[in-house]
Amino acid sequence: MPAVRLSDAEWTVMNAVWDREPATARDVLDAVVDETAWAYTTVKTMMDRLVDKGALKARRSSAAVVYRPAVTREKARRSAMRSLAERAFGGAFGPMAHMLLEGRGLTAKERRELKRLLQEDHDRRRTGSGQ
Amino acid sequence: MPAVRLSDAEWTVMNAVWDREPATARDVLDAVVDETAWAYTTVKTMMDRLVDKGALKARRSSAAVVYRPAVTREKARRSAMRSLAERAFGGAFGPMAHMLLEGRGLTAKERRELKRLLQEDHDRRRTGSGQ
DNA sequence: ACAATGCTTCTACATCTGTAGTATCATGCC
DNA sequence: GGCATGATACTACAGATGTAGAAGCATTGT
């Protein structure tokens, strides 16, 4: 499984679909109308291409085609991260996380949250509560 | 400054240049020879395009053109991360870091290191030793 | 000064991405 | 059953990316 590569515009479309779950091209157009100035056919073309790519599934429902994700947002995110780690960080997640934390990109709240996460993870590991 | 967007192949080239600092097209070709099967002119073309993009600087040194980075690896990495956060995580670094930490992508050592980082950062903040 | 060797420059071309027009098809209302 | 409305399918086209050939220019040893 080649792990669907999404382009910028495709992320925009997929995000709209993930937020609505079943969505028609018109739904997506409406959803992104103030983010982009796309024509209806632009959205439609992208969605059909996404079906080809295996990122969306299409099913005709009388009037129009209804699309829904063929991959979860999680999966897509994860594979985008993996791919970034690959090309930009030589495959290592560590330095990537490092940069993420060290920079001023996080809010104090997020930082707290992450620390908690690390702590939890640490505990989970030492008590061996797998899964 | 539009923040240089690097494609996959371009990352490969840039990584080789960053590792060598001044590098000719041949240097890069040699460096990536077992990763790719590129022809010399392929590398050369990419490097010249990277100059146009503002990612490399070129200077002719008698025989051949010597290239060096016009942006630091840090900057490139950072902007790639920003761009990923943008499209895939709605602009928030938090969830991105979250996913990075929660997944099994990190080694125990890295996890320790990150916790230390967060702690340090925390301390730095409360003692107000800003930059 | 000349030839060999290796660079450079130009050009090319297939694919992917972003964007959309046009013409055709289906549906639902009178 | 015919027509308006909106959706679909097909085609297009420019710019970016991946990949490279061909031909010409510079260096350097002799």
Side-chain angles (χ1 to χ4, degrees):
Chain A
M1 45 249 35
V4 273
R5 266 321 182 94
L6 302 176
S7 73
D8 271 28
E10 288 171 343
W11 271 103
T12 303
V13 169
M14 289 301 291
N15 280 328
V17 177
W18 280 316
D19 285 344
R20 287 162 189 71
E21 263 309 306
T24 64
R26 185 142 307 269
D27 290 341
V28 171
L29 179 61
D30 291 348
V32 305
V33 79
D34 36 45
E35 225 182 314
T36 71
W38 288 338
Y40 173 86
T41 47
T42 299
V43 174
K44 183 67 165 126
T45 300
M46 284 196 294
M47 292 179 85
D48 289 337
R49 284 184 187 165
L50 283 165
V51 170
D52 292 346
K53 275 198 182 186
L56 287 179
K57 281 175 299 184
R59 178 201 303 275
R60 169 166 233 128
S61 170
S62 87
V65 172
V66 172
Y67 300 83
R68 60 189 74 232
V71 294
T72 66
R73 194 176 226 150
E74 290 307 289
K75 238 186 192 16
R77 283 177 169 174
R78 222 173 273 288
S79 91
M81 294 243 287
R82 200 177 350 261
S83 139
L84 178 59
E86 216 75 36
R87 350 179 214 176
F89 294 86
F93 283 93
M96 193 166 157
H98 195 291
M99 167 166 292
L100 206 53
L101 301 188
E102 129 209 299
R104 74 279 144 274
L106 301 178
T107 65
K109 185 155 144 272
E110 286 170 339
R111 234 179 311 262
R112 264 198 308 281
E113 161 74 359
L114 291 176
K115 228 169 78 178
R116 196 183 51 75
L117 244 168
L118 281 172
Q119 189 54 57
E120 250 172 31
D121 177 83
H122 178 69
D123 297 345
R124 204 177 329 117
R125 265 154 218 275
R126 67 182 302 117
T127 60
S129 75
Q131 155 63 223
Chain B
M1 47 250 39
V4 273
R5 274 307 190 105
L6 302 175
S7 74
D8 271 28
E10 287 171 345
W11 270 103
T12 302
V13 170
M14 288 302 292
N15 280 328
V17 177
W18 279 316
D19 285 344
R20 288 166 188 68
E21 263 310 308
T24 64
R26 184 143 307 269
D27 291 340
V28 170
L29 179 61
D30 291 347
V32 303
V33 80
D34 36 43
E35 225 182 315
T36 72
W38 289 336
Y40 173 86
T41 47
T42 299
V43 174
K44 183 69 165 123
T45 299
M46 285 196 294
M47 293 180 85
D48 288 337
R49 284 183 185 167
L50 282 165
V51 171
D52 291 346
K53 276 200 182 184
L56 288 179
K57 281 175 299 184
R59 177 203 304 275
R60 169 165 233 127
S61 170
S62 85
V65 172
V66 172
Y67 299 83
R68 62 189 72 229
V71 293
T72 65
R73 194 176 226 151
E74 289 306 290
K75 238 187 192 16
R77 282 177 168 173
R78 220 173 273 288
S79 91
M81 294 245 286
R82 201 178 347 260
S83 138
L84 178 60
E86 215 76 37
R87 351 179 213 178
F89 295 86
F93 283 94
M96 193 167 159
H98 196 290
M99 165 167 291
L100 207 52
L101 301 187
E102 129 209 300
R104 74 281 145 271
L106 301 179
T107 66
K109 182 152 147 275
E110 285 170 338
R111 234 179 311 264
R112 261 197 309 282
E113 161 74 357
L114 291 177
K115 227 169 77 180
R116 197 183 51 75
L117 244 168
L118 280 172
Q119 189 56 55
E120 249 172 31
D121 177 83
H122 177 70
D123 298 345
R124 205 177 328 119
R125 266 157 218 273
R126 68 182 301 115
T127 59
S129 74
Q131 162 58 222

